[in-house]
Amino acid sequence: MDRGNFEYFKFLINFEAQSTFMSNKQEGLQALQDIRNIMERSSRFISLSGWSGIAAGVCALAGGWLVYNKLEQYRILSSGSGGCVDCVAYEIIKIALVVFAAALSLAFLFTWIRSHKDGIQLWGNSSKRLLWNTLMPLAVGGLVALRFAHLGYYQMLVPVCLIFYGLALVHGSKFTLGEVKYLGYMMLLAGLANLWWLDYSLFFWSLGFGVFHIFYGVIMWWKYERNVAKD
């Protein structure tokens, strides 16, 4: 075998060896990625739907519009024969409870739809951990809000709800999609700002629970669900 043929044969051997190495390396990386995905599915609830955030935001904006109308009616009454502060406050609280129930129901519906599409169990260990870690701050915040309402500090209700909801999202983000914590930070900032501008509680309600939820939902849909919807 002359030197030219020998070099060519050596090149072929090296090329085949490198190709085999790269193929094995890619297979190994793919296996690691698969293992990572399995571990993520088992430790995090990743089937939150972007539509849940959008629906919650729309419900909050609708509730804000209803509250605005109630406040306008109260201003008209108070400028005439007088209005009942406690009455309008309880009406607003009822609107807030209806908004919360509607948003929660729609969030459950859209999350169930996505879990069904992804083939992921909705009520598993990961979803239980997520529920528990978000429920604790929400429950405490609810009790604080009820106490403020009982004392007549109605202006404190919106910032309290925003702050404790933000804490719940940040705390629960460890057990779901990481982007949830950024929504929590935004809620916390809105709630803290509301403490200094209590007369603008309706604005911060609409901004936090409305606009921020819709913004978050659109981003999550674009990032995780857009390609699935195309398929």
Side-chain angles (χ1 to χ4, degrees):
M1 180 183 294
D2 57 24
R3 182 173 181 80
N5 290 333
F6 176 76
E7 292 294 335
Y8 178 70
F9 182 70
K10 182 179 178 181
F11 169 77
L12 289 178
I13 293 176
N14 290 334
F15 179 78
E16 184 177 356
Q18 290 177 2
S19 299
T20 303
F21 173 76
M22 292 300 296
S23 177
N24 292 336
K25 183 179 180 180
Q26 291 177 355
E27 291 177 359
L29 291 175
Q30 183 61 43
L32 289 175
Q33 184 65 35
D34 292 339
I35 293 172
R36 180 182 178 183
N37 291 335
I38 293 173
M39 292 180 65
E40 188 176 56
R41 283 172 177 257
S42 63
S43 61
R44 290 172 175 258
F45 184 71
I46 59 176
S47 290
L48 292 178
S49 174
W51 286 107
S52 298
I54 296 172
V58 171
C59 289
L61 291 177
W65 179 75
L66 292 174
V67 169
Y68 175 79
N69 289 334
K70 286 290 181 182
L71 291 175
E72 286 298 310
Q73 293 175 7
Y74 169 73
R75 290 190 185 98
I76 294 173
L77 290 174
S78 61
S79 63
S81 58
C84 175
V85 176
D86 290 335
C87 296
V88 71
Y90 288 131
E91 288 293 323
I92 292 174
I93 291 173
K94 286 194 292 185
I95 292 174
L97 292 175
V98 171
V99 168
F100 174 76
L104 184 63
S105 299
L106 290 173
F108 175 82
L109 174 63
F110 287 118
T111 300
W112 179 83
I113 292 174
R114 187 181 175 194
S115 298
H116 183 71
K117 287 182 178 179
D118 295 342
I120 298 176
Q121 185 180 4
L122 180 61
W123 187 245
N125 291 330
S126 57
S127 59
K128 290 177 182 178
R129 287 194 293 267
L130 173 61
L131 179 62
W132 173 252
N133 283 274
T134 54
L135 189 60
M136 281 292 292
L138 287 177
V140 174
L143 292 175
V144 174
L146 285 175
R147 181 55 179 164
F148 276 133
H150 183 260
L151 294 173
Y153 301 148
Y154 300 118
Q155 285 184 312
M156 295 297 297
L157 297 183
V158 172
V160 163
C161 291
L162 285 168
I163 289 172
F164 279 94
Y165 181 59
L167 290 174
L169 293 178
V170 173
H171 197 239
S173 64
K174 297 177 291 184
F175 304 96
T176 184
L177 301 173
E179 290 83 356
V180 172
K181 67 175 175 289
Y182 298 111
L183 177 62
Y185 294 150
M186 295 165 69
M187 294 292 178
L188 284 171
L189 289 175
L192 291 173
N194 194 181
L195 289 175
W196 272 262
W197 290 283
L198 290 174
D199 292 336
Y200 297 92
S201 292
L202 184 58
F203 166 78
F204 285 106
W205 165 281
S206 300
L207 178 66
F209 293 115
V211 176
F212 287 169
H213 263 139
I214 294 174
F215 179 71
Y216 157 83
V218 170
I219 290 178
M220 298 302 288
W221 178 86
W222 183 268
K223 186 174 182 179
Y224 294 105
E225 300 174 67
R226 178 172 60 96
N227 294 329
V228 176
K230 287 182 178 180
D231 296 337

PDB file of all heavy atoms in Angstrom, residues 23-57:
ATOM      1  N   SER A  23     -22.079  10.466  17.388  1.00  0.00           N
ATOM      2  CA  SER A  23     -23.393   9.844  17.466  1.00  0.00           C
ATOM      3  C   SER A  23     -23.682   9.366  18.884  1.00  0.00           C
ATOM      4  O   SER A  23     -24.772   9.581  19.420  1.00  0.00           O
ATOM      5  CB  SER A  23     -23.478   8.681  16.485  1.00  0.00           C
ATOM      6  OG  SER A  23     -24.721   8.031  16.587  1.00  0.00           O
ATOM      7  N   ASN A  24     -22.682   8.720  19.506  1.00  0.00           N
ATOM      8  CA  ASN A  24     -22.855   8.255  20.882  1.00  0.00           C
ATOM      9  C   ASN A  24     -23.033   9.428  21.844  1.00  0.00           C
ATOM     10  O   ASN A  24     -23.810   9.358  22.802  1.00  0.00           O
ATOM     11  CB  ASN A  24     -21.662   7.406  21.308  1.00  0.00           C
ATOM     12  CG  ASN A  24     -21.601   6.081  20.552  1.00  0.00           C
ATOM     13  OD1 ASN A  24     -22.619   5.591  20.065  1.00  0.00           O
ATOM     14  ND2 ASN A  24     -20.416   5.513  20.446  1.00  0.00           N
ATOM     15  N   LYS A  25     -22.302  10.515  21.560  1.00  0.00           N
ATOM     16  CA  LYS A  25     -22.401  11.687  22.412  1.00  0.00           C
ATOM     17  C   LYS A  25     -23.800  12.302  22.323  1.00  0.00           C
ATOM     18  O   LYS A  25     -24.401  12.667  23.337  1.00  0.00           O
ATOM     19  CB  LYS A  25     -21.351  12.717  22.010  1.00  0.00           C
ATOM     20  CG  LYS A  25     -21.334  13.962  22.892  1.00  0.00           C
ATOM     21  CD  LYS A  25     -20.256  14.921  22.459  1.00  0.00           C
ATOM     22  CE  LYS A  25     -20.246  16.166  23.345  1.00  0.00           C
ATOM     23  NZ  LYS A  25     -19.188  17.125  22.925  1.00  0.00           N
ATOM     24  N   GLN A  26     -24.324  12.409  21.083  1.00  0.00           N
ATOM     25  CA  GLN A  26     -25.671  12.949  20.905  1.00  0.00           C
ATOM     26  C   GLN A  26     -26.715  12.062  21.558  1.00  0.00           C
ATOM     27  O   GLN A  26     -27.663  12.559  22.181  1.00  0.00           O
ATOM     28  CB  GLN A  26     -25.963  13.119  19.419  1.00  0.00           C
ATOM     29  CG  GLN A  26     -25.140  14.215  18.751  1.00  0.00           C
ATOM     30  CD  GLN A  26     -25.403  14.305  17.268  1.00  0.00           C
ATOM     31  OE1 GLN A  26     -26.134  13.485  16.711  1.00  0.00           O
ATOM     32  NE2 GLN A  26     -24.804  15.296  16.626  1.00  0.00           N
ATOM     33  N   GLU A  27     -26.550  10.747  21.433  1.00  0.00           N
ATOM     34  CA  GLU A  27     -27.484   9.835  22.077  1.00  0.00           C
ATOM     35  C   GLU A  27     -27.429   9.972  23.594  1.00  0.00           C
ATOM     36  O   GLU A  27     -28.451   9.920  24.281  1.00  0.00           O
ATOM     37  CB  GLU A  27     -27.176   8.400  21.657  1.00  0.00           C
ATOM     38  CG  GLU A  27     -27.488   8.111  20.189  1.00  0.00           C
ATOM     39  CD  GLU A  27     -27.099   6.697  19.801  1.00  0.00           C
ATOM     40  OE1 GLU A  27     -26.565   5.971  20.677  1.00  0.00           O
ATOM     41  OE2 GLU A  27     -27.325   6.323  18.636  1.00  0.00           O
ATOM     42  N   GLY A  28     -26.195  10.158  24.103  1.00  0.00           N
ATOM     43  CA  GLY A  28     -26.047  10.338  25.544  1.00  0.00           C
ATOM     44  C   GLY A  28     -26.692  11.625  26.031  1.00  0.00           C
ATOM     45  O   GLY A  28     -27.367  11.644  27.063  1.00  0.00           O
ATOM     46  N   LEU A  29     -26.504  12.718  25.268  1.00  0.00           N
ATOM     47  CA  LEU A  29     -27.120  13.986  25.631  1.00  0.00           C
ATOM     48  C   LEU A  29     -28.641  13.898  25.570  1.00  0.00           C
ATOM     49  O   LEU A  29     -29.340  14.454  26.425  1.00  0.00           O
ATOM     50  CB  LEU A  29     -26.618  15.096  24.701  1.00  0.00           C
ATOM     51  CG  LEU A  29     -25.150  15.505  24.866  1.00  0.00           C
ATOM     52  CD1 LEU A  29     -24.760  16.520  23.790  1.00  0.00           C
ATOM     53  CD2 LEU A  29     -24.904  16.083  26.247  1.00  0.00           C
ATOM     54  N   GLN A  30     -29.148  13.191  24.554  1.00  0.00           N
ATOM     55  CA  GLN A  30     -30.593  13.024  24.437  1.00  0.00           C
ATOM     56  C   GLN A  30     -31.144  12.211  25.605  1.00  0.00           C
ATOM     57  O   GLN A  30     -32.216  12.513  26.138  1.00  0.00           O
ATOM     58  CB  GLN A  30     -30.934  12.336  23.111  1.00  0.00           C
ATOM     59  CG  GLN A  30     -32.427  12.171  22.862  1.00  0.00           C
ATOM     60  CD  GLN A  30     -33.153  13.492  22.797  1.00  0.00           C
ATOM     61  OE1 GLN A  30     -32.669  14.434  22.175  1.00  0.00           O
ATOM     62  NE2 GLN A  30     -34.305  13.581  23.440  1.00  0.00           N
ATOM     63  N   ALA A  31     -30.382  11.184  26.017  1.00  0.00           N
ATOM     64  CA  ALA A  31     -30.806  10.376  27.160  1.00  0.00           C
ATOM     65  C   ALA A  31     -30.839  11.209  28.440  1.00  0.00           C
ATOM     66  O   ALA A  31     -31.773  11.102  29.244  1.00  0.00           O
ATOM     67  CB  ALA A  31     -29.878   9.176  27.332  1.00  0.00           C
ATOM     68  N   LEU A  32     -29.817  12.055  28.608  1.00  0.00           N
ATOM     69  CA  LEU A  32     -29.798  12.932  29.782  1.00  0.00           C
ATOM     70  C   LEU A  32     -30.965  13.915  29.760  1.00  0.00           C
ATOM     71  O   LEU A  32     -31.567  14.198  30.811  1.00  0.00           O
ATOM     72  CB  LEU A  32     -28.469  13.699  29.833  1.00  0.00           C
ATOM     73  CG  LEU A  32     -27.227  12.881  30.180  1.00  0.00           C
ATOM     74  CD1 LEU A  32     -25.968  13.739  30.080  1.00  0.00           C
ATOM     75  CD2 LEU A  32     -27.342  12.299  31.582  1.00  0.00           C
ATOM     76  N   GLN A  33     -31.283  14.427  28.562  1.00  0.00           N
ATOM     77  CA  GLN A  33     -32.406  15.342  28.443  1.00  0.00           C
ATOM     78  C   GLN A  33     -33.717  14.647  28.781  1.00  0.00           C
ATOM     79  O   GLN A  33     -34.589  15.225  29.443  1.00  0.00           O
ATOM     80  CB  GLN A  33     -32.457  15.918  27.020  1.00  0.00           C
ATOM     81  CG  GLN A  33     -33.539  16.954  26.794  1.00  0.00           C
ATOM     82  CD  GLN A  33     -33.319  18.209  27.609  1.00  0.00           C
ATOM     83  OE1 GLN A  33     -32.188  18.617  27.824  1.00  0.00           O
ATOM     84  NE2 GLN A  33     -34.390  18.815  28.079  1.00  0.00           N
ATOM     85  N   ASP A  34     -33.848  13.398  28.326  1.00  0.00           N
ATOM     86  CA  ASP A  34     -35.061  12.634  28.634  1.00  0.00           C
ATOM     87  C   ASP A  34     -35.192  12.393  30.134  1.00  0.00           C
ATOM     88  O   ASP A  34     -36.289  12.499  30.704  1.00  0.00           O
ATOM     89  CB  ASP A  34     -35.055  11.296  27.885  1.00  0.00           C
ATOM     90  CG  ASP A  34     -35.185  11.477  26.385  1.00  0.00           C
ATOM     91  OD1 ASP A  34     -35.662  12.552  25.959  1.00  0.00           O
ATOM     92  OD2 ASP A  34     -34.801  10.548  25.637  1.00  0.00           O
ATOM     93  N   ILE A  35     -34.064  12.058  30.766  1.00  0.00           N
ATOM     94  CA  ILE A  35     -34.071  11.838  32.214  1.00  0.00           C
ATOM     95  C   ILE A  35     -34.444  13.126  32.948  1.00  0.00           C
ATOM     96  O   ILE A  35     -35.226  13.118  33.913  1.00  0.00           O
ATOM     97  CB  ILE A  35     -32.699  11.323  32.690  1.00  0.00           C
ATOM     98  CG1 ILE A  35     -32.444   9.920  32.124  1.00  0.00           C
ATOM     99  CG2 ILE A  35     -32.630  11.303  34.219  1.00  0.00           C
ATOM    100  CD1 ILE A  35     -31.051   9.408  32.385  1.00  0.00           C
ATOM    101  N   ARG A  36     -33.887  14.238  32.474  1.00  0.00           N
ATOM    102  CA  ARG A  36     -34.199  15.522  33.088  1.00  0.00           C
ATOM    103  C   ARG A  36     -35.679  15.853  32.956  1.00  0.00           C
ATOM    104  O   ARG A  36     -36.299  16.332  33.912  1.00  0.00           O
ATOM    105  CB  ARG A  36     -33.366  16.621  32.425  1.00  0.00           C
ATOM    106  CG  ARG A  36     -33.621  18.014  32.991  1.00  0.00           C
ATOM    107  CD  ARG A  36     -32.802  19.057  32.264  1.00  0.00           C
ATOM    108  NE  ARG A  36     -33.087  20.383  32.763  1.00  0.00           N
ATOM    109  CZ  ARG A  36     -32.558  21.497  32.266  1.00  0.00           C
ATOM    110  NH1 ARG A  36     -31.704  21.421  31.254  1.00  0.00           N
ATOM    111  NH2 ARG A  36     -32.874  22.668  32.762  1.00  0.00           N
ATOM    112  N   ASN A  37     -36.257  15.591  31.789  1.00  0.00           N
ATOM    113  CA  ASN A  37     -37.680  15.861  31.576  1.00  0.00           C
ATOM    114  C   ASN A  37     -38.552  14.996  32.488  1.00  0.00           C
ATOM    115  O   ASN A  37     -39.557  15.459  33.033  1.00  0.00           O
ATOM    116  CB  ASN A  37     -38.066  15.612  30.117  1.00  0.00           C
ATOM    117  CG  ASN A  37     -37.450  16.633  29.176  1.00  0.00           C
ATOM    118  OD1 ASN A  37     -37.131  17.744  29.588  1.00  0.00           O
ATOM    119  ND2 ASN A  37     -37.281  16.267  27.921  1.00  0.00           N
ATOM    120  N   ILE A  38     -38.148  13.729  32.641  1.00  0.00           N
ATOM    121  CA  ILE A  38     -38.909  12.830  33.514  1.00  0.00           C
ATOM    122  C   ILE A  38     -38.847  13.310  34.962  1.00  0.00           C
ATOM    123  O   ILE A  38     -39.854  13.332  35.677  1.00  0.00           O
ATOM    124  CB  ILE A  38     -38.371  11.394  33.395  1.00  0.00           C
ATOM    125  CG1 ILE A  38     -38.662  10.835  31.989  1.00  0.00           C
ATOM    126  CG2 ILE A  38     -38.990  10.497  34.461  1.00  0.00           C
ATOM    127  CD1 ILE A  38     -38.016   9.492  31.724  1.00  0.00           C
ATOM    128  N   MET A  39     -37.650  13.716  35.402  1.00  0.00           N
ATOM    129  CA  MET A  39     -37.497  14.203  36.775  1.00  0.00           C
ATOM    130  C   MET A  39     -38.278  15.497  36.977  1.00  0.00           C
ATOM    131  O   MET A  39     -38.875  15.714  38.040  1.00  0.00           O
ATOM    132  CB  MET A  39     -36.015  14.433  37.083  1.00  0.00           C
ATOM    133  CG  MET A  39     -35.191  13.153  37.141  1.00  0.00           C
ATOM    134  SD  MET A  39     -33.453  13.468  37.503  1.00  0.00           S
ATOM    135  CE  MET A  39     -33.576  14.127  39.161  1.00  0.00           C
ATOM    136  N   GLU A  40     -38.283  16.366  35.958  1.00  0.00           N
ATOM    137  CA  GLU A  40     -39.024  17.612  36.062  1.00  0.00           C
ATOM    138  C   GLU A  40     -40.517  17.358  36.158  1.00  0.00           C
ATOM    139  O   GLU A  40     -41.227  17.992  36.927  1.00  0.00           O
ATOM    140  CB  GLU A  40     -38.704  18.501  34.859  1.00  0.00           C
ATOM    141  CG  GLU A  40     -39.286  19.907  34.975  1.00  0.00           C
ATOM    142  CD  GLU A  40     -38.878  20.792  33.817  1.00  0.00           C
ATOM    143  OE1 GLU A  40     -39.130  20.405  32.662  1.00  0.00           O
ATOM    144  OE2 GLU A  40     -38.300  21.862  34.073  1.00  0.00           O
ATOM    145  N   ARG A  41     -41.009  16.417  35.357  1.00  0.00           N
ATOM    146  CA  ARG A  41     -42.430  16.084  35.400  1.00  0.00           C
ATOM    147  C   ARG A  41     -42.831  15.509  36.750  1.00  0.00           C
ATOM    148  O   ARG A  41     -43.952  15.704  37.208  1.00  0.00           O
ATOM    149  CB  ARG A  41     -42.778  15.080  34.297  1.00  0.00           C
ATOM    150  CG  ARG A  41     -42.869  15.726  32.912  1.00  0.00           C
ATOM    151  CD  ARG A  41     -43.026  14.669  31.845  1.00  0.00           C
ATOM    152  NE  ARG A  41     -43.195  15.267  30.533  1.00  0.00           N
ATOM    153  CZ  ARG A  41     -44.351  15.364  29.892  1.00  0.00           C
ATOM    154  NH1 ARG A  41     -45.440  14.899  30.453  1.00  0.00           N
ATOM    155  NH2 ARG A  41     -44.428  15.921  28.702  1.00  0.00           N
ATOM    156  N   SER A  42     -41.907  14.761  37.377  1.00  0.00           N
ATOM    157  CA  SER A  42     -42.239  14.131  38.649  1.00  0.00           C
ATOM    158  C   SER A  42     -42.153  15.104  39.825  1.00  0.00           C
ATOM    159  O   SER A  42     -42.800  14.889  40.848  1.00  0.00           O
ATOM    160  CB  SER A  42     -41.302  12.942  38.905  1.00  0.00           C
ATOM    161  OG  SER A  42     -39.955  13.382  39.009  1.00  0.00           O
ATOM    162  N   SER A  43     -41.364  16.174  39.698  1.00  0.00           N
ATOM    163  CA  SER A  43     -41.174  17.100  40.811  1.00  0.00           C
ATOM    164  C   SER A  43     -41.901  18.421  40.627  1.00  0.00           C
ATOM    165  O   SER A  43     -42.105  19.153  41.592  1.00  0.00           O
ATOM    166  CB  SER A  43     -39.677  17.390  41.007  1.00  0.00           C
ATOM    167  OG  SER A  43     -39.129  17.983  39.834  1.00  0.00           O
ATOM    168  N   ARG A  44     -42.284  18.753  39.390  1.00  0.00           N
ATOM    169  CA  ARG A  44     -42.958  20.015  39.119  1.00  0.00           C
ATOM    170  C   ARG A  44     -44.237  19.782  38.339  1.00  0.00           C
ATOM    171  O   ARG A  44     -44.294  18.899  37.491  1.00  0.00           O
ATOM    172  CB  ARG A  44     -42.046  20.959  38.309  1.00  0.00           C
ATOM    173  CG  ARG A  44     -40.869  21.508  39.080  1.00  0.00           C
ATOM    174  CD  ARG A  44     -39.936  22.254  38.153  1.00  0.00           C
ATOM    175  NE  ARG A  44     -38.852  22.887  38.869  1.00  0.00           N
ATOM    176  CZ  ARG A  44     -38.799  24.182  39.158  1.00  0.00           C
ATOM    177  NH1 ARG A  44     -39.789  24.975  38.773  1.00  0.00           N
ATOM    178  NH2 ARG A  44     -37.789  24.695  39.816  1.00  0.00           N
ATOM    179  N   PHE A  45     -45.227  20.600  38.632  1.00  0.00           N
ATOM    180  CA  PHE A  45     -46.471  20.550  37.859  1.00  0.00           C
ATOM    181  C   PHE A  45     -46.324  21.543  36.710  1.00  0.00           C
ATOM    182  O   PHE A  45     -46.344  22.756  36.919  1.00  0.00           O
ATOM    183  CB  PHE A  45     -47.659  20.928  38.738  1.00  0.00           C
ATOM    184  CG  PHE A  45     -48.976  20.794  38.028  1.00  0.00           C
ATOM    185  CD1 PHE A  45     -49.497  19.546  37.732  1.00  0.00           C
ATOM    186  CD2 PHE A  45     -49.688  21.916  37.645  1.00  0.00           C
ATOM    187  CE1 PHE A  45     -50.710  19.413  37.073  1.00  0.00           C
ATOM    188  CE2 PHE A  45     -50.899  21.804  36.992  1.00  0.00           C
ATOM    189  CZ  PHE A  45     -51.407  20.547  36.701  1.00  0.00           C
ATOM    190  N   ILE A  46     -46.134  21.032  35.493  1.00  0.00           N
ATOM    191  CA  ILE A  46     -45.764  21.874  34.355  1.00  0.00           C
ATOM    192  C   ILE A  46     -46.895  22.025  33.350  1.00  0.00           C
ATOM    193  O   ILE A  46     -46.658  22.434  32.211  1.00  0.00           O
ATOM    194  CB  ILE A  46     -44.505  21.319  33.653  1.00  0.00           C
ATOM    195  CG1 ILE A  46     -44.754  19.892  33.165  1.00  0.00           C
ATOM    196  CG2 ILE A  46     -43.303  21.371  34.577  1.00  0.00           C
ATOM    197  CD1 ILE A  46     -43.594  19.304  32.367  1.00  0.00           C
ATOM    198  N   SER A  47     -48.112  21.706  33.734  1.00  0.00           N
ATOM    199  CA  SER A  47     -49.233  21.785  32.799  1.00  0.00           C
ATOM    200  C   SER A  47     -50.114  23.010  33.024  1.00  0.00           C
ATOM    201  O   SER A  47     -51.265  23.033  32.598  1.00  0.00           O
ATOM    202  CB  SER A  47     -50.090  20.515  32.897  1.00  0.00           C
ATOM    203  OG  SER A  47     -49.398  19.415  32.360  1.00  0.00           O
ATOM    204  N   LEU A  48     -49.575  24.032  33.706  1.00  0.00           N
ATOM    205  CA  LEU A  48     -50.335  25.268  33.829  1.00  0.00           C
ATOM    206  C   LEU A  48     -50.529  25.884  32.449  1.00  0.00           C
ATOM    207  O   LEU A  48     -49.591  25.992  31.673  1.00  0.00           O
ATOM    208  CB  LEU A  48     -49.612  26.252  34.744  1.00  0.00           C
ATOM    209  CG  LEU A  48     -49.530  25.891  36.225  1.00  0.00           C
ATOM    210  CD1 LEU A  48     -48.749  26.958  36.972  1.00  0.00           C
ATOM    211  CD2 LEU A  48     -50.921  25.734  36.822  1.00  0.00           C
ATOM    212  N   SER A  49     -51.735  26.293  32.151  1.00  0.00           N
ATOM    213  CA  SER A  49     -52.048  26.829  30.829  1.00  0.00           C
ATOM    214  C   SER A  49     -51.978  28.345  30.824  1.00  0.00           C
ATOM    215  O   SER A  49     -52.407  29.009  31.778  1.00  0.00           O
ATOM    216  CB  SER A  49     -53.449  26.374  30.401  1.00  0.00           C
ATOM    217  OG  SER A  49     -53.829  26.980  29.191  1.00  0.00           O
ATOM    218  N   GLY A  50     -51.436  28.890  29.733  1.00  0.00           N
ATOM    219  CA  GLY A  50     -51.431  30.331  29.583  1.00  0.00           C
ATOM    220  C   GLY A  50     -52.824  30.911  29.511  1.00  0.00           C
ATOM    221  O   GLY A  50     -53.074  32.043  29.941  1.00  0.00           O
ATOM    222  N   TRP A  51     -53.764  30.116  28.997  1.00  0.00           N
ATOM    223  CA  TRP A  51     -55.151  30.567  28.927  1.00  0.00           C
ATOM    224  C   TRP A  51     -55.746  30.784  30.312  1.00  0.00           C
ATOM    225  O   TRP A  51     -56.673  31.575  30.480  1.00  0.00           O
ATOM    226  CB  TRP A  51     -55.997  29.568  28.139  1.00  0.00           C
ATOM    227  CG  TRP A  51     -55.747  29.623  26.676  1.00  0.00           C
ATOM    228  CD1 TRP A  51     -55.083  28.723  25.903  1.00  0.00           C
ATOM    229  CD2 TRP A  51     -56.161  30.670  25.776  1.00  0.00           C
ATOM    230  NE1 TRP A  51     -55.045  29.121  24.591  1.00  0.00           N
ATOM    231  CE2 TRP A  51     -55.704  30.311  24.480  1.00  0.00           C
ATOM    232  CE3 TRP A  51     -56.872  31.857  25.935  1.00  0.00           C
ATOM    233  CZ2 TRP A  51     -55.933  31.116  23.370  1.00  0.00           C
ATOM    234  CZ3 TRP A  51     -57.096  32.657  24.834  1.00  0.00           C
ATOM    235  CH2 TRP A  51     -56.636  32.282  23.573  1.00  0.00           C
ATOM    236  N   SER A  52     -55.224  30.084  31.315  1.00  0.00           N
ATOM    237  CA  SER A  52     -55.692  30.288  32.688  1.00  0.00           C
ATOM    238  C   SER A  52     -55.389  31.712  33.145  1.00  0.00           C
ATOM    239  O   SER A  52     -56.231  32.373  33.761  1.00  0.00           O
ATOM    240  CB  SER A  52     -55.032  29.281  33.623  1.00  0.00           C
ATOM    241  OG  SER A  52     -55.367  27.955  33.270  1.00  0.00           O
ATOM    242  N   GLY A  53     -54.164  32.166  32.863  1.00  0.00           N
ATOM    243  CA  GLY A  53     -53.801  33.529  33.226  1.00  0.00           C
ATOM    244  C   GLY A  53     -54.618  34.560  32.474  1.00  0.00           C
ATOM    245  O   GLY A  53     -55.053  35.573  33.050  1.00  0.00           O
ATOM    246  N   ILE A  54     -54.829  34.320  31.178  1.00  0.00           N
ATOM    247  CA  ILE A  54     -55.629  35.254  30.379  1.00  0.00           C
ATOM    248  C   ILE A  54     -57.058  35.326  30.904  1.00  0.00           C
ATOM    249  O   ILE A  54     -57.634  36.415  31.053  1.00  0.00           O
ATOM    250  CB  ILE A  54     -55.619  34.823  28.899  1.00  0.00           C
ATOM    251  CG1 ILE A  54     -54.194  34.919  28.332  1.00  0.00           C
ATOM    252  CG2 ILE A  54     -56.576  35.679  28.077  1.00  0.00           C
ATOM    253  CD1 ILE A  54     -54.042  34.342  26.945  1.00  0.00           C
ATOM    254  N   ALA A  55     -57.648  34.167  31.198  1.00  0.00           N
ATOM    255  CA  ALA A  55     -59.023  34.138  31.706  1.00  0.00           C
ATOM    256  C   ALA A  55     -59.123  34.844  33.054  1.00  0.00           C
ATOM    257  O   ALA A  55     -60.081  35.601  33.306  1.00  0.00           O
ATOM    258  CB  ALA A  55     -59.499  32.691  31.838  1.00  0.00           C
ATOM    259  N   ALA A  56     -58.135  34.628  33.935  1.00  0.00           N
ATOM    260  CA  ALA A  56     -58.144  35.286  35.248  1.00  0.00           C
ATOM    261  C   ALA A  56     -58.048  36.796  35.084  1.00  0.00           C
ATOM    262  O   ALA A  56     -58.727  37.558  35.793  1.00  0.00           O
ATOM    263  CB  ALA A  56     -57.001  34.761  36.103  1.00  0.00           C
ATOM    264  N   GLY A  57     -57.215  37.242  34.145  1.00  0.00           N
ATOM    265  CA  GLY A  57     -57.075  38.681  33.909  1.00  0.00           C
ATOM    266  C   GLY A  57     -58.350  39.304  33.385  1.00  0.00           C
ATOM    267  O   GLY A  57     -58.740  40.405  33.806  1.00  0.00           O
TER     268      GLY A  57
END
